[in-house]
Amino acid sequence: MGKLMVWVGVAVAVTVRFVFAAMGAQERLGRRVEIVTPVTSLKRLAEGQWFKQLGLSPYAGSAYHGSPLLLALLGPMTTVGTGGQTSSRFHSRHVLVMTNLLGALLLLKMGNLVESANVYYLGKLLPDSKKSKPSVKTQVNDIRGHGKLGLGEVAALLYLVNPFTVAVCVGGTTSPVENVLVLLALYGALKGNSPLAAFGWAMSTHLSMYPAVLLIPISILMVAGPDKPQRKLFDHVNKIKTSNPKLKEKKMVGTTSTVQLQWARYRDFLLFSALWWIAILGLSAAALGGYEHLKEMLIETYGFILHVEDLSPNLGLFWYFFTEVFTHFRDFFIMVFHANILFVLVPLTIRLHHRPLFLAYVMVAITTMLKSYPSIGDAAISLGLLGLCTPELADFRFSFFVLNGYLVVAILSPSMYNLWIWRGTGNANFYFAMSLVYACVQSILIVESVGTVIRYDRNLDRLSKLPVQVDSGAQPKED
Amino acid sequence: MAGNSSSKTNGARIDNSSRSAGCSSRRRGDEIRREAGDWQSMAFMLVRSMKRNSEAGAKKVEGLVAGARGCGDDVLLGNHLKAIVPTGSAIGQRCCNDRTMANNSFLTSGLRSRQVGASRAFVWGWFLCIVPFLISGCHSVADKGREEAFSEDLLIRPLSDGKVLNHFYFKNYLHTLGSAAHNHVFPKAISQLVRKFHISELELSFTQGRWNYERWGALDPVGSSNAKPSGVELWAEFDVPSDQVDPTWRNLTHALSGLFCASINFLESPAVVAAPSLVFGSRINKGASKEGHTANVRKSGVVRYGALPREAVCTENLTPWLKLLPCRDKAGIATLLDRPSVYKGYYHSLRVHVGRSQPGGAVILEQTLTLVLQPAQLRERGSKELPNWSLTSLFARKLEGRCPLAKSSHVLLELERPLVLSVERLAASKSEPAELSDEKSQQGRRNDKGRQVDVADNPAFHMSPYPDRVFVESQGSGDISQASSLMLDYDLQNHSSARPLNLAMLWKERVYWSSLRGPFRVSRFLIGSGNEKGSLAIELKRNFDLPVQDEVVAANDVEVTIFQVVAWYVRLYLHTLTARVDGNQVPLQNIITQMLVTPAEDRLSPAVLEVKLKLPRNVSIMSLTMDFDKEAGSVHVYTDNLLVPLATPDFSMPYNVITFTCTVLALYFGSLLNTLRRRIGEEERLAKRASGGKLKESISRFMEGKSATQKKLIKVSGVILIAGIAVAFNYALEYYQVL
């Protein structure tokens, strides 16, 4: 049943993409500023390819701002048969659909790993004796029991049929490629595959810079393994076990000695990261025709992202702010805006270090919100990762509000754009209001999911302490 | 003129065949140019006819170049010609033209003209500027040693829609730049400018209105090189190392804006300046280069081009321009420049062109003012009659003699070939076939050519006074019976305040004609709607009503160069460039022969696209090979300004935007930190705090067993300690600040 649903879901997702593409949606979607940004535009990539073919730097003309490797990969597809643009679109569309499917597959695998880890750790934390009591473990199992779908299958289907993913895939941008590399890095880290994780991380950072912050969750994943309850809960359980001679023969769980810190694996990861970076820079230099072009590449990709040079409208907060802000303060505010991503990294890591995958989701969501050129393609991957955290987020409070927020943005932002640009009856403030709504919705989603996970951990704590308190005769106060 | 003894003619003539064979590189072209408000863009094209029999031509050209060198000792003449003519072949030809005036035998040997000593005089004049020098040529040869020379001319041409074109042309020549401190006639401001900024060539124009290429013609010298886009246009070529070009340009713009009271200094920013390499640039270098290897010879990167389409042009620009003239507007032709008359015109273009005869050679300053005026005439509404005009009706002035400092001072009235043709047709309908001519040559030639029609008094119009001379341009190979354009010459030497010249033209009958149009009609437009995306289209439509003489050109491929500057904020996707011929998309490589792309950089430089196209006359001549090295002349056609509506943000409330954005960020950051700060063991710690911390416990233990006064003392000393710490901290802080 579950398998059938997955296959039906995949078939539907693929069909929808091809039907939309056959209906000529690429032309329409490829123009939407919510979908295409200056860094992910395939049209700009084609322009870069055109300059490259002329023997100029692909970054000439301030058109292309992506990686030379991506250009080498996708560039030839954009110019297949001069004049015949349909065939090139056909090819690049195939590639994008394939990357989407690969991303879904990675999410599926990751979901399976996370789910088995969940079952393992919760089983250790909440022994079978307490199964009669309402436990978190039953919540987890509920998902499988009712929907007959594994966590990975849910996440993969959520990612595949998400309208944002579909729109980005059909519209023709490079963000599916960036997304799949982020997923590859997380999958590799989860699996303990150092070269794969290093490749995914280095490549995704090379392509879009922001995944650099994922170094923290990937490191934790490599060292300490997937998401699990806090260690002190295991300490608590172990204390009970040691105090209870009946349970003494059972293995201690979650302590430093039992959770093997995979430092060797992490060392490999760092080593491979360095290797991949060298390879990436070397290949880029080869693609650009010399190491002296690497500086230009960095300026045109990272510099373009950090300096916010293109102020054309998008769903982010940067463009309008930096159009309006006085030049004198521009540098200061650029630093402040980017610092908003960096400043929360440490508190997040301290608080959620035991949940690296969730940490990765939060970081991706924050970058989605505070990117200089965000698109709904970034939302697509952050929502896909959200699917992996569904057990912990079961009692998310504002789900209706957030869902409607996304709907409002999806419907009203094109309308406002139309009013401003095409009809001329509105102005830029109309559209920027939608950007603000989008940022608000995302910030609510981020804050509330962090809060929910912290509440979940607190509940686990309480549940794990239950037997001790029962023994001592004190009842925990329910809230 | 003196040497031409065969008849009492007032000009000289070269048979046209020599031109078409030897110097077949003819000028054709269009330049398109548009700017729009903030975005500045320009399309510019040169249309070139391609030479078919290049081999035969090359030999001829060599001979002609030799001829040119032969007469190159006449510095003034030679330099002038070089300055206006791009090709070596054309130089030779024209130089020899000039020589014909003085010495006919030179023509015979040099050009192998078939009809030497033709009965009727002819001046082949593509450029109006030639004509005064044909006349003043003898003078200048005589005054060879002279350092400076000035001449003034006014060309008047009735236009087919009743308006009158007035083209003022002042030319100033300075032989050596070194002694600039002692100029007599040449303006010091310009000589200093040239010396300071090492200018090879410079052209500055202030224009208001739009040149109507369809009605006012595109092929004639005025239409082709003096029709400028509205606003200010400046281009300059420097004789400096390429790394100094930009600073020099910047300084030059500041100097010029001071000199001409205009905001030319806005062109200093590299974001609006282009560095074209195919289209603009020194005619000197192009012309002087050997064997016509012109395009390759010119140093690249030393030309800068900029335009301010919004610059308003007014008397404050005209006054400094007049100041450059030796007589200002106190004497000579410039006295006509009555401000109200000048600025009520339909088109008005003030131009300064500085050139060098050769790199480092003599400086030539050309100042032109092109005016299209509507003669004021009382007539009933809807009347189709052409309005009569005179100098007084146009300018409210009369010409009271020449500028005493000018070598020559002429007023020329040009009757275009189509007009002449119509007049002759009109005369023919009234009587027998006739040819428009002047009275004197009529007498001489009455025997060969039936009845002549007087140029000044014919069925169509009446001119007063009678011209001093008439120049005739000959037509297709040797057939002099065909109509040709006439140039009526009035020498201001013969006029004074006692005998002022008031040129007047009275129309007797409505004559219909149309000016010579360019080979292409160029239009540029935007496709798409809204403020977001769109396409820029440049359309070339062939004008099929080309006159007979252009058949040679028409049979060949036409080369068109498009020059397009697009500001960085209008992003062009160059890979979407497509070409269509007669509605069918063709591969670019089939028609594009050369393409130069300077991509835009955000906030730094505009995109410059120069595309050289080869347009087949029809499909069957597609396979024609062409000669790249031959540099042909060009007609510049500027297209209209194009207004690209850009999506603009609302700048009315920046503070709102800033506060809103910051609020959202603060909300996110604050609530996230707040969520993170809440801890799982919060309850436990709260309970612990309620029972008292370790510090409190130790304090209470310390206080145990002490007396009340001791307790008081301890408390007071504690306060004093804290106050002391605070004072010390404050002092330390001040000390640190002092440091």
Side-chain angles (χ1 to χ4, degrees):
Chain A
M1 180 65 185
K3 284 261 188 271
L4 187 70
M5 268 192 78
V6 172
W7 284 116
V8 169
V10 170
V12 166
V14 173
T15 324
V16 161
R17 280 162 171 76
F18 280 110
V19 166
F20 271 125
M23 282 161 64
Q26 173 162 24
E27 198 55 48
R28 286 172 170 277
L29 292 176
R31 283 205 307 259
R32 304 278 348 137
V33 287
E34 293 87 1
I35 295 170
V36 180
T37 69
V39 268
T40 62
S41 163
L42 270 187
K43 199 172 184 188
R44 284 174 182 253
L45 189 134
E47 182 84 351
Q49 176 71 15
W50 192 76
F51 279 123
K52 196 176 158 187
Q53 281 177 342
L54 283 187
L56 289 163
S57 155
Y59 297 115
S62 296
Y64 184 56
H65 296 285
S67 149
L69 300 182
L70 199 63
L71 188 68
L73 188 76
L74 293 179
M77 286 175 211
T78 60
T79 49
V80 172
T82 13
Q85 290 209 322
T86 42
S87 61
S88 67
R89 278 179 194 163
F90 189 67
H91 282 279
S92 54
R93 187 193 312 143
H94 277 292
V95 169
L96 294 182
V97 171
M98 291 303 286
T99 52
N100 264 343
L101 286 176
L102 180 62
L105 184 71
L106 289 172
L107 275 173
L108 180 81
K109 294 267 180 199
M110 279 158 77
N112 290 341
L113 286 173
V114 168
E115 193 174 35
S116 56
N118 275 346
V119 170
Y120 172 76
Y121 285 113
L122 289 179
K124 295 294 178 197
L125 194 64
L126 309 169
D128 297 312
S129 60
K130 279 189 234 90
K131 245 191 172 170
S132 56
K133 292 187 190 348
S135 71
V136 185
K137 189 179 173 186
T138 46
Q139 283 181 1
V140 175
N141 285 339
D142 276 351
I143 296 169
R144 232 199 216 296
H146 293 289
K148 294 208 166 51
L149 277 177
L151 182 55
E153 286 151 354
V154 172
L157 285 185
L158 269 181
Y159 177 70
L160 262 191
V161 298
N162 184 347
F164 286 179
T165 324
V166 175
V168 169
C169 176
V170 176
T173 74
T174 59
S175 38
V177 181
E178 290 162 16
N179 289 354
V180 87
L181 284 166
V182 170
L183 291 174
L184 205 64
L186 291 176
Y187 172 72
L190 200 60
K191 192 90 179 156
N193 189 339
S194 312
L196 192 65
F199 172 74
W201 178 70
M203 267 311 277
S204 57
T205 307
H206 169 65
L207 289 192
S208 54
M209 192 186 84
Y210 286 100
V213 298
L214 290 179
L215 182 64
I216 299 167
I218 289 173
S219 304
I220 300 172
L221 273 175
M222 297 296 296
V223 174
D227 293 21
K228 55 184 154 308
Q230 280 168 302
R231 196 184 296 155
K232 65 177 181 186
L233 302 190
F234 295 108
D235 291 348
H236 195 72
V237 170
N238 291 330
K239 205 159 67 187
I240 300 162
K241 282 173 185 166
T242 45
S243 64
N244 191 345
K246 283 182 200 169
L247 298 167
K248 214 167 190 177
E249 74 278 6
K250 284 206 174 176
K251 219 179 150 192
M252 306 264 268
V253 192
T255 56
T256 321
S257 54
T258 47
V259 179
Q260 289 181 342
L261 294 182
Q262 306 286 343
W263 288 112
R265 223 161 57 180
Y266 188 54
R267 188 198 60 215
D268 290 351
F269 168 75
L270 290 181
L271 214 71
F272 274 109
S273 293
L275 280 178
W276 282 120
W277 269 117
I278 291 168
I280 285 168
L281 293 179
L283 285 173
S284 301
L288 290 172
Y291 284 96
E292 64 275 8
H293 297 294
L294 282 184
K295 192 184 168 198
E296 185 198 4
M297 179 192 87
L298 289 180
I299 290 170
E300 287 290 337
T301 53
Y302 291 1
F304 182 74
I305 292 171
L306 289 174
H307 285 136
V308 202
E309 281 159 20
D310 194 309
L311 295 176
S312 53
N314 57 42
L315 270 182
L317 296 172
F318 280 66
W319 65 274
Y320 206 34
F321 187 87
F322 287 106
T323 314
E324 300 273 353
V325 86
F326 308 102
T327 328
H328 189 64
F329 301 111
R330 191 183 154 88
D331 292 344
F332 169 73
F333 274 109
I334 280 183
M335 281 192 282
V336 169
F337 272 50
H338 289 304
N340 265 311
I341 296 178
L342 296 178
F343 280 174
V344 292
L345 289 186
V346 175
L348 276 175
T349 312
I350 292 171
R351 203 73 179 87
L352 297 167
H353 62 91
H354 58 289
R355 298 202 174 274
L357 207 60
F358 180 72
L359 188 62
Y361 153 70
V362 173
M363 284 180 177
V364 169
I366 287 174
T367 52
T368 300
M369 178 186 153
L370 292 175
K371 259 187 166 181
S372 38
Y373 311 105
S375 76
I376 57 170
D378 306 304
I381 185 183
S382 84
L383 292 176
L385 285 172
L386 183 74
L388 291 179
C389 308
T390 38
E392 289 85 359
L393 295 175
D395 52 347
F396 187 90
R397 282 186 299 193
F398 303 123
S399 47
F400 181 75
F401 181 81
V402 170
L403 183 70
N404 280 299
Y406 275 114
L407 277 178
V408 163
V409 171
I411 293 164
L412 280 190
S413 101
S415 326
M416 291 300 175
Y417 194 78
N418 188 288
L419 284 185
W420 170 31
I421 299 292
W422 295 93
R423 294 183 196 281
T425 48
N427 63 22
N429 297 336
F430 284 48
Y431 187 73
F432 187 63
M434 284 304 107
S435 296
L436 285 178
V437 169
Y438 186 63
C440 283
V441 166
Q442 279 187 312
S443 105
I444 289 169
L445 178 68
I446 293 164
V447 172
E448 184 51 26
S449 48
V450 169
T452 308
V453 165
I454 287 172
R455 271 206 308 282
Y456 176 85
D457 277 339
R458 191 182 300 171
N459 281 335
L460 271 187
D461 187 23
R462 218 172 266 163
L463 286 168
S464 68
K465 280 174 189 163
L466 225 59
V468 187
Q469 285 161 342
V470 165
D471 287 352
S472 64
Q475 283 288 332
K477 209 171 85 184
E478 291 290 331
D479 60 356
Chain B
M1 284 149 274
N4 198 341
S5 55
S6 60
S7 65
K8 287 188 276 173
T9 50
N10 300 324
R13 173 178 181 136
I14 298 171
D15 185 273
N16 207 25
S17 62
S18 67
R19 183 178 77 207
S20 57
C23 317
S24 72
S25 49
R26 296 278 306 278
R27 46 191 64 232
R28 283 288 170 280
D30 301 75
E31 175 182 326
I32 310 176
R33 160 93 207 264
R34 285 181 187 208
E35 280 104 338
D38 285 339
W39 91 298
Q40 152 216 17
S41 116
M42 209 195 76
F44 171 173
M45 48 191 61
L46 298 156
V47 185
R48 287 177 195 141
S49 67
M50 266 171 267
K51 236 183 100 192
R52 251 178 175 169
N53 48 352
S54 56
E55 217 174 286
K59 282 176 191 165
K60 273 271 164 68
V61 169
E62 267 178 29
L64 289 169
V65 169
R69 283 183 196 129
C71 62
D73 57 344
D74 178 0
V75 183
L76 175 60
L77 202 54
N79 287 341
H80 166 70
L81 289 166
K82 272 181 195 170
I84 54 160
V85 180
T87 52
S89 58
I91 289 164
Q93 179 203 346
R94 249 162 253 165
C95 192
C96 297
N97 257 351
D98 233 321
R99 277 294 172 149
T100 316
M101 311 279 296
N103 182 1
N104 224 348
S105 63
F106 179 82
L107 170 75
T108 344
S109 60
L111 271 179
R112 287 175 256 159
S113 175
R114 263 192 258 153
Q115 298 190 0
V116 183
S119 56
R120 202 172 60 161
F122 157 71
V123 172
W124 182 82
W126 269 107
F127 279 81
L128 149 74
C129 12
I130 303 279
V131 179
F133 279 87
L134 298 180
I135 300 143
S136 64
C138 310
H139 292 284
S140 52
V141 174
D143 300 319
K144 198 172 150 186
R146 278 194 60 154
E147 281 282 304
E148 295 169 64
F150 172 72
S151 66
E152 53 176 6
D153 299 284
L154 167 64
L155 173 92
I156 303 174
R157 185 206 297 165
L159 296 169
S160 57
D161 55 357
K163 299 186 179 63
V164 181
L165 169 78
N166 300 276
H167 182 72
F168 293 80
Y169 179 87
F170 304 95
K171 193 180 144 163
N172 225 323
Y173 170 87
L174 179 66
H175 182 251
T176 41
L177 197 55
S179 59
H182 307 291
N183 292 345
H184 299 288
V185 177
F186 198 86
K188 201 171 170 183
I190 298 293
S191 63
Q192 282 174 339
L193 213 65
V194 171
R195 204 170 35 192
K196 180 136 199 261
F197 300 116
H198 305 277
I199 292 164
S200 310
E201 196 171 4
L202 174 144
E203 190 174 73
L204 172 68
S205 64
F206 298 88
T207 311
Q208 232 167 22
R210 190 174 65 93
W211 182 263
N212 191 333
Y213 286 101
E214 289 296 297
R215 284 183 164 179
W216 305 340
L219 283 181
D220 58 281
V222 176
S224 69
S225 54
N226 287 309
K228 287 285 172 189
S230 77
V232 167
E233 187 199 51
L234 170 70
W235 66 265
E237 182 178 345
F238 301 98
D239 188 21
V240 294
S242 52
D243 58 322
Q244 284 169 29
V245 171
D246 281 322
T248 315
W249 165 265
R250 202 161 48 237
N251 292 334
L252 174 71
T253 56
H254 282 276
L256 286 175
S257 63
L259 197 59
F260 288 101
C261 296
S263 36
I264 306 170
N265 53 318
F266 285 128
L267 289 176
E268 67 162 330
S269 150
V272 293
V273 174
S277 49
L278 284 184
V279 177
F280 289 98
S282 172
R283 296 168 184 159
I284 301 164
N285 285 351
K286 278 179 183 170
S289 60
K290 300 173 278 180
E291 275 87 45
H293 290 99
T294 51
N296 310 332
V297 168
R298 197 159 59 77
K299 270 188 288 177
S300 61
V302 293
V303 181
R304 288 293 177 274
Y305 172 91
L308 295 169
R310 280 193 165 173
E311 183 76 8
V313 181
C314 201
T315 42
E316 60 183 18
N317 307 118
L318 180 65
T319 310
W321 183 84
L322 283 172
K323 264 182 157 180
L324 301 176
L325 298 173
C327 299
R328 303 208 175 169
D329 54 347
K330 304 292 179 221
I333 286 172
T335 48
L336 284 180
L337 294 173
D338 170 49
R339 302 301 190 282
S341 324
V342 166
Y343 287 100
K344 78 182 176 196
Y346 281 76
Y347 175 85
H348 149 81
S349 174
L350 203 63
R351 197 174 70 107
V352 176
H353 183 275
V354 179
R356 310 290 288 262
S357 58
Q358 63 202 32
V363 185
I364 296 149
L365 168 69
E366 293 169 280
Q367 288 173 263
T368 64
L369 173 61
T370 313
L371 291 172
V372 176
L373 298 176
Q374 174 77 51
Q377 193 192 29
L378 289 172
R379 50 174 187 170
E380 62 242 52
R381 283 176 75 85
S383 160
K384 298 264 173 153
E385 269 179 39
L386 294 166
N388 301 331
W389 58 267
S390 65
L391 283 185
T392 32
S393 76
L394 290 177
F395 296 103
R397 307 263 168 102
K398 288 175 187 172
L399 272 178
E400 301 181 344
R402 59 187 202 124
C403 168
L405 293 167
K407 277 190 168 309
S408 74
S409 187
H410 289 264
V411 175
L412 297 146
L413 185 98
E414 187 187 356
L415 301 174
E416 282 178 291
R417 182 149 53 90
L419 170 63
V420 173
L421 209 62
S422 328
V423 172
E424 283 178 6
R425 218 171 277 143
L426 184 74
S429 69
K430 299 230 161 166
S431 55
E432 50 195 280
E435 190 182 350
L436 203 62
S437 171
D438 66 315
E439 212 174 37
K440 293 171 192 169
S441 60
Q442 246 179 58
Q443 294 164 356
R445 298 183 52 211
R446 200 169 284 260
N447 301 335
D448 343 327
K449 291 268 153 199
R451 217 192 107 146
Q452 306 286 313
V453 183
D454 188 3
V455 72
D457 191 18
N458 53 51
F461 58 83
H462 173 78
M463 287 295 311
S464 73
Y466 200 85
D468 299 334
R469 272 173 290 216
V470 175
F471 299 116
V472 185
E473 182 196 357
S474 96
Q475 282 322 299
S477 41
D479 185 7
I480 42 172
S481 66
Q482 251 185 323
S484 36
S485 66
L486 301 177
M487 201 80 89
L488 279 57
D489 176 29
Y490 299 86
D491 197 339
L492 277 184
Q493 230 164 351
N494 309 333
H495 296 272
S496 64
S497 53
R499 194 175 158 245
L501 172 68
N502 182 19
L503 196 61
M505 189 172 197
L506 298 171
W507 291 100
K508 294 179 183 166
E509 202 140 330
R510 181 69 170 103
V511 187
Y512 294 93
W513 79 99
S514 69
S515 299
L516 290 181
R517 296 192 281 171
F520 286 100
R521 202 172 79 200
V522 187
S523 51
R524 204 173 50 148
F525 47 90
L526 291 172
I527 304 171
S529 63
N531 292 347
E532 185 193 7
K533 298 277 152 71
S535 304
L536 180 74
I538 297 170
E539 195 183 64
L540 292 160
K541 264 191 193 159
R542 185 116 207 174
N543 278 335
F544 280 105
D545 58 348
L546 286 178
V548 194
Q549 63 166 0
D550 292 318
E551 265 177 3
V552 182
V553 180
N556 287 314
D557 276 6
V558 183
E559 202 169 272
V560 180
T561 307
I562 297 174
F563 176 57
Q564 173 87 45
V565 182
V566 181
W568 61 267
Y569 40 82
V570 178
R571 181 172 301 287
L572 280 190
Y573 286 102
L574 296 170
H575 74 273
T576 54
L577 190 72
T578 46
R580 282 167 184 275
V581 174
D582 301 332
N584 305 317
Q585 190 166 340
V586 293
L588 289 178
Q589 57 265 33
N590 286 12
I591 60 163
I592 291 185
T593 55
Q594 198 180 353
M595 181 152 71
L596 289 178
V597 178
T598 314
E601 270 180 73
D602 284 356
R603 283 177 201 84
L604 285 179
S605 63
V608 183
L609 180 66
E610 290 175 90
V611 188
K612 207 183 259 187
L613 300 175
K614 184 187 68 175
L615 291 183
R617 169 77 171 131
N618 54 49
V619 186
S620 60
I621 327 177
M622 268 272 284
S623 58
L624 262 178
T625 54
M626 53 179 181
D627 197 345
F628 271 106
D629 297 328
K630 290 284 174 287
E631 187 69 20
S634 61
V635 178
H636 288 198
V637 175
Y638 290 90
T639 58
D640 299 339
N641 287 349
L642 208 56
L643 187 69
V644 179
L646 286 170
T648 46
D650 177 15
F651 281 108
S652 60
M653 24 190 199
Y655 289 106
N656 291 6
V657 172
I658 292 166
T659 39
F660 275 127
T661 314
C662 289
T663 307
V664 169
L665 283 181
L667 271 179
Y668 140 79
F669 196 76
S671 53
L672 185 60
L673 277 192
N674 190 32
T675 313
L676 288 173
R677 199 185 52 84
R678 258 189 253 146
R679 308 191 57 140
I680 299 173
E682 214 161 34
E683 293 94 352
E684 285 92 317
R685 241 176 295 117
L686 279 173
K688 239 184 225 169
R689 214 172 287 161
S691 69
K694 278 174 187 168
L695 185 72
K696 212 171 185 179
E697 263 175 41
S698 59
I699 287 173
S700 60
R701 216 179 292 137
F702 176 74
M703 289 295 196
E704 252 171 52
K706 299 270 169 15
S707 71
T709 44
Q710 274 177 322
K711 277 181 187 172
K712 215 176 225 173
L713 202 67
I714 289 166
K715 276 184 183 169
V716 170
S717 58
V719 170
I720 290 169
L721 184 71
I722 289 166
I725 290 171
V727 168
F729 184 72
N730 198 28
Y731 180 76
L733 214 68
E734 274 178 15
Y735 180 72
Y736 183 75
Q737 277 177 350
V738 167
L739 274 181

